Amino acid sequence: ETLRRAIDHYEQAIERRSEQHAAAEFFLAKILCDIGREDEALPHLKHAAQLVPLDQKEAFELHYLLGTLAQKQQDLSAAKTAFETALKKGAKPERVADVSHRLGAIAQAQQDDDAAIARYEKALAAYGNAQTEAVFDALANLSALKFRHRWHQDAANYAERALRMPNAPEKRLAPLLKILAESFAALKEYEKAAEYEDRHFDAARDHDEKADSLLRLGAIHEQRQQPKEAVDAYRKGLKFA
């Protein structure tokens, strides 16, 4: 009932074109988002964005909501524009981190790797010493992006930082361990490569993935002049292939 009355008051303020009708549109849209009526909220947000500027905090929240709704609708271009506008309005570091992280994900989805890396790195700087799932996600994505471009040392550094985090999501460990094993093999640090490949084998769930891991482990043993261990890895790999 309280929400219903608030909605009525905001709608009346908008209809009367009161001095605060821009703020009324924003707050009405915010309530509609909070109660799951996002399709109704979107026109109010777009209209409020075109009216007399809101104060700094409200302007940031407005464009943040616009970006969030566009991202849910898979309209990545609109989401990117809204989030970039939100950053220009000014925000606290934790909000800068969140928006930069979202922009990194958008750039990654658009295969703009350079922009994604820059956004994720900005997010990490803003997160500071936080040890959250969002920080882990940024580190894991940075590791994958660096590895894709064969920047193996950077890829390994980000992956090791992610693995050191408490409560790292178990389902995301295998890809990181694979990046570490392949990166250290490329850097010719074969002892580390073998250690991480062993851990990747244990973390892998798919039989083909385990076979691939053992194939790489055999190649690492060959590089280390360990033919017996290489043969053992290849034979074990055949059982999984």
Side-chain angles (χ1 to χ4, degrees), residues 170-182 196-218 233 236-241:
E170 188 174 343
K171 64 182 179 181
R172 299 191 64 180
L173 296 183
L176 284 174
L177 291 166
K178 181 181 177 184
I179 286 173
L180 282 162
E182 293 196 55
Y196 282 118
E197 200 65 79
D198 280 333
R199 290 176 62 183
H200 173 258
F201 173 82
D202 291 336
R205 294 291 176 262
D206 180 78
H207 274 214
D208 286 340
E209 193 177 354
K210 284 183 177 291
D212 286 341
S213 185
L214 289 163
L215 174 63
R216 291 191 299 271
L217 184 59
K236 190 176 178 182
L238 286 172
K239 295 177 183 178
F240 285 95

Side-chain angles (χ1 to χ4, degrees), residues 67 75-85 103 106 110 112 119:
D75 187 348
L76 298 184
S77 295
K80 178 183 176 184
T81 299
F83 286 136
E84 287 176 340
T85 304
L103 283 167
I106 290 169
Q110 293 176 327
D112 186 349
R119 292 296 187 181

Side-chain angles (χ1 to χ4, degrees), residues 91-150:
K92 293 180 180 179
E94 60 268 22
R95 304 305 299 277
V96 171
D98 180 27
V99 175
S100 298
H101 195 142
R102 288 169 179 265
L103 283 167
I106 290 169
Q108 192 171 3
Q110 293 176 327
Q111 297 184 337
D112 186 349
D113 290 357
D114 288 342
I117 288 169
R119 292 296 187 181
Y120 283 133
E121 287 180 337
K122 184 175 181 179
L124 274 183
Y127 282 129
N129 296 321
Q131 298 283 299
T132 63
E133 189 173 341
V135 175
F136 177 92
D137 184 73
L139 289 168
N141 287 328
L142 276 168
S143 180
L145 288 164
K146 294 284 188 176
F147 180 76
R148 183 188 298 173
H149 292 277
R150 299 182 183 180

Side-chain angles (χ1 to χ4, degrees), residues 6-7 9-15 17-32 44-45 47-59 61-62 65:
I7 289 171
H9 285 305
Y10 287 136
E11 287 176 340
Q12 289 172 29
I14 294 165
E15 288 172 8
R17 305 283 294 177
S18 72
E19 291 183 5
Q20 296 296 320
H21 71 280
E25 291 246 34
F26 165 66
F27 287 120
L28 173 60
K30 200 168 186 304
I31 288 177
L32 292 172
H44 291 292
L45 286 171
H47 190 217
Q50 297 169 1
L51 296 174
V52 179
L54 303 167
D55 69 37
Q56 189 177 26
K57 181 180 177 182
E58 290 170 358
E61 290 292 346
L62 186 152
L65 277 175

